[in-house]
Amino acid sequence: MSGLRMRTLAVAVVAGVGATLTIAVAPAEAAGTPHVRAGETVPVYSYENAVRESVWVQTTLDNDDDGVPDRVAVDIVRPREAADKRIKVPVVLEASPYYSCCGRGNESELKQYDANGTITKQPLFYDNYFVPRGYAFVAADLAGTNRSTGCEDVGGREEVLSAKAVVDWLNGRGRATYADGTPAVATRWTNGKTGMIGKSWDGSVANGVAATGVEGLETIVPISAISSWYDYQRYNGVLRAEDYPEYLHQAVSGRPESVCDATLKELDEGSDDATGNYNAYWAERDYRPDARKVHASVLIAHGLNDTNVTTAQFAQWWNRLRVPKKMWLAQQGHVDPFDIRRAQWVDTLHRWFDRYLQGLRNGIDREPAVSIETAPGTWVNERTWPASAARSVKVALGDGDGTTGTLGGRSGSGSRTWTDAPDLSEATAVAAPNTAVPGRVAFLSAPLSQPVRISGTPSVKLRVQVDKPTTELTARLVDYGTATRVNYVAAGEGITTLTTESCWGASTAADDACYRDTVENVITSDHAILTRGWQDAAHRVSLRFVTPLQPGRWYDVTVPMQATDQRLAAGHVLGLILQASDNEYSTPQSTGATIKLDLRGSSLTLPLVGRLPAPGATAPTVPAAPAATRLAPQKFQPLLP
């Protein structure tokens, strides 16, 4: 039960014994709004009888070059009784490319229509839950997808502005028509206050629209979302997959063949696989520099072990935002919090929208801003992120026994040399760190004398000589020690879907609000990858251009790792594993380079709460565990965000 509901119950009990209370009335409740009671929205409107309609919103663009402004297809479910009483309601908006190709949610739901083209089923529970509570739910097909015209440009201007056009229309600044061409006027039924929500690509659109500063967008809820498409498809100059933007476009496109050939060409040429450079194409798809334009409140949810939309996406966005914000960080991979902690998430989402779309002062903005899953099923609330107690700690790399190095103490005077082994798997690279493995080097801390926490973005500075003009460099932080952990590398990325269902809202025969229950997939493993990082050495100076290395010269190359928040138990050992190219999380452009690492000029930087123990002269022995207890990912394949 939420704190708000507990306080409401307490008021009722006290009032029942004759106490006299003065209760502050929320703005909407004071105005006699029927869907607001005791400071929260309640289900009073019929979902079955709701208005279901489709409109086409006109944009200012024409990237399919047919001489007609591109139009965005918008499917709406809104409370009929509110409209009949001339009560204007706010909007929950999800703009997505997935409504006809791939589906939404754990059960991959698609939009469905009747014979007349009227929407009968919207994916997910948002309309089922929120429409009876005095919200409209609006699902927009991004330009070039499903029933919209234009061409999907994968994070670009067309995509963002097509969704922005819907917000403008909801606020009376745009034009739309019904299928028969008659005008559709949103301001007859909505007050324009809009909240955008979505997981993955959908949440990325919400970030992009918020970064335009559009008026009327009051809040966004980006779940496992992208804030920089360069960082989604490149790792500091390292190619994630060849022809990735073109693949994404073709996966979601709803246009006839050849209509969008010009856009495909622009995606191919602009993304520039040949160099991996950050250029004007990627700058258009980077929302972070415009975080200062965001005036909407932001509720972020992300998996700390998300290897699809990696954690730099939330971390760099979160740190730039200067608006009311809140965040959930779970131990899963690319998973919606609805399938991790369902009841608590629905309650949080309900209260968040009530606060920022209905104007109800329910206190959610005064609660701890960050909720973090520290171990399977264990959550803590904190004031901010990264942890306020985290300090940047520089950790030296020691020579150890000449094979396995040490973490901490004085910088070692030795060196390490290895040759790129593009077929070296992560499982092999991190296993048995006390033995020599071709293509990787390992450094270990002493066993921890007390628990420590890594909260933020680690990095490793490597002083290297390379015998080729460039090489890819990969770094991993590993927690060596047996523990019960979320099995995020398995199918489901940390959850198991059950056969039972639970229902979250009202239903019709065509659109029920019931979804299969889930539980965390938990495994006992001997180690865990805490975070990973990649860097193309020729992009060490700038991501905008290549600066080749000269054989025989020493260079400093920093490998930034993905943001994380993980706790290591006493007795565990922290490991740093270095290799060159990585065939599981990228498409290696291996040069076959041999790398020499100067230990004295290299170091690991950790955002640390607590202390690492002083190292011994040699690294501790980490027992090799059976392969069955290791978390081993599969080779990378192009993914839909």
Side-chain angles (χ1 to χ4, degrees):
M1 182 178 292
S2 71
L4 175 61
R5 290 182 173 83
M6 292 177 68
R7 291 192 295 275
T8 302
L9 178 60
V11 167
V13 171
V14 173
V17 296
T20 300
L21 297 175
T22 301
I23 303 174
V25 180
E29 192 170 359
T33 306
H35 55 265
V36 176
R37 297 176 189 167
E40 68 176 354
T41 57
V42 294
V44 298
Y45 302 123
S46 169
Y47 178 69
E48 185 173 9
N49 194 41
V51 176
R52 291 173 171 82
E53 58 187 353
S54 301
V55 304
W56 279 259
V57 174
Q58 182 174 300
T59 75
T60 59
L61 306 173
D62 178 24
N63 81 336
D64 57 9
D65 295 323
D66 64 356
V68 179
D70 299 334
R71 298 190 309 159
V72 178
V74 176
D75 296 308
I76 302 164
V77 183
R78 55 186 176 88
R80 187 179 301 275
E81 300 91 336
D84 290 345
K85 295 179 180 179
R86 297 185 178 180
I87 297 171
K88 295 185 177 183
V89 298
V91 170
V92 176
L93 166 63
E94 184 175 48
S96 175
Y98 290 136
Y99 286 132
S100 64
C101 77
C102 314
R104 305 312 300 128
N106 191 39
E107 297 173 38
S108 300
E109 292 186 314
L110 300 171
K111 284 183 176 180
Q112 295 179 15
Y113 304 89
D114 65 16
N116 298 318
T118 301
I119 186 73
T120 58
K121 179 180 176 62
Q122 299 270 37
L124 306 176
F125 73 99
Y126 302 137
D127 56 327
N128 309 79
Y129 188 86
F130 286 105
V131 169
R133 288 171 166 80
Y135 294 82
F137 178 69
V138 172
D141 301 323
L142 292 178
T145 70
N146 200 14
R147 301 199 294 178
S148 295
T149 62
C151 294
E152 171 56 67
D153 62 354
V154 189
R157 185 168 178 265
E158 176 86 11
E159 176 178 300
V160 172
L161 294 186
S162 72
K164 176 182 177 291
V166 179
V167 179
D168 283 330
W169 172 70
L170 291 168
N171 283 272
R173 297 187 299 270
R175 298 173 57 190
T177 61
Y178 295 105
D180 63 4
T182 58
V185 181
T187 52
R188 293 173 179 169
W189 53 265
T190 179
N191 58 17
K193 292 182 179 293
T194 303
M196 293 188 71
I197 189 170
K199 178 194 169 191
S200 201
W201 198 332
D202 307 354
S204 312
V205 177
N207 284 339
V209 175
T212 70
V214 61
E215 184 180 353
L217 184 61
E218 303 298 327
T219 193
I220 63 171
V221 184
I223 301 166
S224 304
I226 294 165
S227 58
S228 164
W229 282 85
Y230 178 88
D231 283 355
Y232 179 67
Q233 297 177 22
R234 302 282 187 274
Y235 294 135
N236 301 301
V238 175
L239 184 66
R240 193 168 188 190
E242 295 176 330
D243 300 324
Y244 207 167
E246 302 95 296
Y247 159 75
L248 294 175
H249 167 95
Q250 292 169 327
V252 302
S253 178
R255 304 309 310 281
E257 190 174 353
S258 80
V259 167
C260 295
D261 283 352
T263 297
L264 273 170
K265 182 179 180 182
E266 291 172 2
L267 295 176
D268 179 44
E269 294 177 353
S271 57
D272 189 14
D273 282 358
T275 68
N277 289 350
Y278 181 97
N279 54 24
Y281 170 93
W282 294 112
E284 180 183 311
R285 293 159 173 79
D286 187 352
Y287 313 136
R288 295 169 190 165
D290 288 325
R292 56 186 172 78
K293 296 181 182 179
V294 176
H295 60 74
S297 61
V298 181
L299 170 58
I300 291 173
H302 213 104
L304 287 165
N305 290 301
D306 192 337
T307 58
N308 181 346
V309 178
T310 53
T311 53
Q313 300 289 348
F314 85 76
Q316 294 193 33
W317 188 234
W318 170 267
N319 288 333
R320 294 187 186 209
L321 292 169
R322 296 296 179 265
V323 294
K325 57 186 180 179
K326 188 175 180 66
M327 183 162 63
W328 276 32
L329 299 176
Q331 289 292 330
Q332 276 69 24
H334 199 59
V335 179
D336 194 305
F338 182 76
D339 295 313
I340 298 171
R341 202 182 180 203
R342 187 166 293 179
Q344 295 91 335
W345 175 247
V346 174
D347 183 65
T348 297
L349 196 59
H350 181 185
R351 296 176 64 222
W352 187 262
F353 283 153
D354 275 3
R355 171 66 185 87
Y356 291 105
L357 296 181
Q358 300 278 358
L360 302 179
R361 303 284 180 175
N362 55 22
I364 194 168
D365 51 328
R366 299 191 299 274
E367 295 174 357
V370 183
S371 296
I372 304 173
E373 187 178 21
T374 59
T378 300
W379 289 77
V380 299
N381 295 324
E382 299 198 345
R383 182 178 58 84
T384 188
W385 188 90
S388 57
R391 298 292 180 266
S392 181
V393 176
K394 184 177 178 180
V395 181
L397 307 186
D399 194 36
D401 62 4
T403 296
T404 304
T406 58
L407 290 178
R410 294 184 177 182
S411 297
S413 58
S415 64
R416 293 289 188 276
T417 300
W418 75 96
T419 298
D420 187 10
D423 292 331
L424 177 63
S425 70
E426 179 175 271
T428 301
V430 303
N434 297 103
T435 62
V437 174
R440 78 102 201 260
V441 293
F443 301 86
L444 300 175
S445 75
L448 301 180
S449 56
Q450 59 185 0
V452 300
R453 175 183 176 187
I454 300 172
S455 178
T457 302
S459 64
V460 58
K461 187 192 83 170
L462 304 177
R463 186 160 180 78
V464 294
Q465 278 186 353
V466 182
D467 67 349
K468 303 288 184 181
T470 191
T471 186
E472 296 170 2
L473 293 168
T474 301
R476 292 178 170 87
L477 284 181
V478 187
D479 173 11
Y480 290 103
T482 300
T484 301
R485 299 179 170 102
V486 171
N487 188 14
Y488 69 89
V489 299
E493 299 194 49
I495 63 166
T496 298
T497 303
L498 307 178
T499 57
T500 58
E501 287 188 335
S502 57
C503 302
W504 303 87
S507 298
T508 65
D511 189 344
D512 70 70
C514 303
Y515 294 86
R516 291 181 182 176
D517 298 315
T518 59
V519 293
E520 288 190 303
N521 181 353
V522 175
I523 188 174
T524 298
S525 61
D526 68 299
H527 74 272
I529 312 295
L530 302 177
T531 184
R532 304 164 177 86
W534 306 266
Q535 176 71 48
D536 173 52
H539 283 91
R540 70 195 181 281
V541 176
S542 173
L543 295 178
R544 294 183 180 273
F545 51 81
V546 170
T547 307
L549 289 73
Q550 296 182 24
R553 288 189 57 181
W554 288 100
Y555 295 92
D556 290 333
V557 181
T558 297
V559 182
M561 299 189 202
Q562 295 294 315
T564 192
D565 199 296
Q566 301 287 1
R567 290 159 167 80
L568 287 75
H572 285 206
V573 170
L574 176 65
L576 171 66
I577 306 297
L578 302 175
Q579 62 187 92
S581 57
D582 175 6
N583 74 345
E584 286 171 324
Y585 293 94
S586 68
T587 299
Q589 308 295 300
S590 175
T591 62
T594 295
I595 301 116
K596 184 176 182 180
L597 175 71
D598 172 36
L599 299 185
R600 188 181 297 277
S602 304
S603 60
L604 168 67
T605 298
L606 295 174
L608 196 64
V609 180
R611 293 184 176 182
L612 295 183
T618 59
T621 299
V622 173
T629 67
R630 299 173 188 161
L631 301 180
Q634 301 299 311
K635 182 174 174 58
F636 174 78
Q637 298 292 333
L639 300 168
L640 291 172

